[in-house]
Amino acid sequence: MTDLMVSGTGQRGVFAELPQTRRSAYFVDQIGVLHRQVRDLHESSASMRRDALVEDLDARQQEAAARDGVELLSVLSDSGLAWRDVAKLAGVTVPAVQKWRRGEGMSGARRLALARIVAMLDILGEHFVSDPASWLEMPVKDGVAISRLQLLAQGRFDLVLLLIADDTAPAVEVDRILDEYDADWRSTLIDDQFESFLASDGVVSIKVAAQA
């Protein structure tokens, strides 16, 4: 905005020669250019930020994968995750996890899956999440029937990473994450205790449902 105003000042003679309507149109045009530049910069930086978060997770996963399966399971158990959740995140059954706990072998793909969960827990610890199991079980947003754990189970580690990084961000950021997950979440994922409504600003929002 400063550069734009300085540019405008430098062209004061040009502005003086233009009728009021043309000066206004010129100013609107310049603001439009600036807006597009800021939008493109935001989109570029957001993409780079997401890539950096995922790359960090990948690096931590490779480091964790050096541990044996029993040790990985021990870390997950200490975090408070239920075995059914571990099984869901690893894409196996609970009996399969129980076999691993007894020292029976697991495939490389399953070991990597466990290592990725451990890597995510490591990141949560660095963000001072003292009870990661509870944090993961929380809904992404009040009134929305999708938890962070469910996002992980569907392979959306990238979205959970954004939620970790933006844990204190305005609700609009969370809405954008939900928009990416499911563009129709306001109608498909609303908890039974809540209902969607059209707010005065024209945006579909949610509120506690009226009691019958």
Side-chain angles (χ1 to χ4, degrees), residues 157-208:
F157 281 76
D158 59 328
L159 298 184
V160 177
L161 287 171
L162 292 175
L163 288 169
I164 295 171
D166 296 332
D167 199 29
T168 58
V172 65
E173 297 296 334
V174 178
D175 285 357
R176 286 172 182 165
I177 292 173
L178 285 167
D179 285 340
E180 180 174 344
Y181 172 72
D182 181 357
D184 297 322
W185 66 270
R186 292 174 180 83
S187 59
T188 62
L189 296 177
I190 300 302
D191 189 283
D192 291 341
Q193 298 180 18
F194 295 80
E195 61 185 8
S196 60
F197 71 100
L198 187 64
S200 58
D201 57 4
V203 177
V204 178
S205 304
I206 57 177
K207 63 181 179 180
V208 177

